[in-house]
Amino acid sequence: MFDSSRYEVRQKVSIGTKYVVYEDDEPILSAKKKKFKLKEDFRLNDYETGDERFRVKADSILDVSAAYDIVDSQTGERVGAVKRGAFSFAKHTYQLLGPDGAVVGRIVEDNVPMAIARRVISTLIPFSYRIEDAAGTPAGSVGEKFSFRDKYTIDIDREAIDPRLAVVAAVVIDAIEEN
């Protein structure tokens, strides 16, 4: 698990939003975000066994300034966190924090006109983010193609960013933005 540089996330909307993460076309994780929670707290489970693999918990009730801690449930190791950057209607930015809390990268919306259209017109308009390392060097991407069934691909430079952090952060961003 997490040996690849390409992942796919498929989302299904039901009473709660459900996610399945694929690595090389094989499902590896599943998650369900419960609706109407004051403080985000959700789990990503092993797709086959159902065992909890990652726990994500917001450090505050206010979504605008929350950091979402990502913990490996099997080892107790803090993988890192994802934190919303400066708020902008036109371009969302999220910081990727390493286990020690230092910024190791960013996930940045990279198509401003499409982002504005998505916020004003419809969330059916595909989203696109670039992943950067701490120095701002490109380290991957998160992209969606137009589809009635949410599906997006995460490409990551494994040497620059921990794929566990990038993949779980992408799911967290999707969940809090309700793409």
Side-chain angles (χ1 to χ4, degrees):
M1 188 179 293
F2 291 102
D3 296 323
S4 182
S5 60
R6 175 167 264 208
Y7 301 86
E8 184 177 271
V9 177
R10 297 179 192 164
Q11 180 191 70
K12 296 180 180 183
V13 178
S14 61
I15 292 173
T17 305
K18 296 178 183 179
Y19 299 90
V20 177
V21 177
Y22 293 80
E23 178 177 14
D24 299 325
D25 296 323
E26 294 292 323
I28 59 170
L29 296 172
S30 63
K32 182 177 180 181
K33 178 186 178 261
K34 295 178 182 173
K35 297 282 188 188
F36 311 115
K37 294 211 38 131
L38 281 177
K39 191 173 178 181
E40 297 292 344
D41 179 4
F42 61 100
R43 315 299 163 108
L44 289 93
N45 301 315
D46 184 286
Y47 186 81
E48 287 186 17
T49 66
D51 295 337
E52 184 179 305
R53 292 301 305 260
F54 297 95
R55 183 174 57 250
V56 179
K57 188 166 187 159
D59 66 358
S60 70
I61 293 173
L62 283 177
D63 183 7
V64 175
S65 63
Y68 297 86
D69 290 319
I70 301 166
V71 175
D72 183 315
S73 300
Q74 295 189 335
T75 65
E77 169 195 12
R78 183 174 190 256
V79 174
V82 59
K83 181 177 176 134
R84 190 184 303 257
F87 183 76
S88 167
F89 179 75
K91 188 176 188 178
H92 289 175
T93 301
Y94 293 87
Q95 294 178 326
L96 297 175
L97 309 177
D100 62 357
V103 175
V104 296
R106 279 176 284 293
I107 297 180
V108 181
E109 227 167 352
D110 66 355
N111 189 327
V112 174
M114 292 292 275
I116 292 170
R118 186 173 40 262
R119 291 183 215 348
V120 174
I121 299 168
S122 171
T123 59
L124 291 176
I125 296 171
F127 60 83
S128 174
Y129 292 89
R130 72 178 175 275
I131 301 173
E132 303 172 342
D133 66 14
T137 305
S141 63
V142 180
E144 179 183 42
K145 297 203 181 324
F146 179 77
S147 171
F148 289 107
R149 183 174 152 212
D150 287 344
K151 184 166 87 170
Y152 52 96
T153 302
I154 303 162
D155 289 305
I156 187 72
D157 176 350
R158 299 174 41 74
E159 302 299 317
I161 303 283
D162 181 341
R164 300 172 304 162
L165 177 59
V167 170
V168 175
V171 172
V172 168
I173 291 167
D174 187 82
I176 63 177
E177 289 196 2
E178 297 181 350
N179 289 325

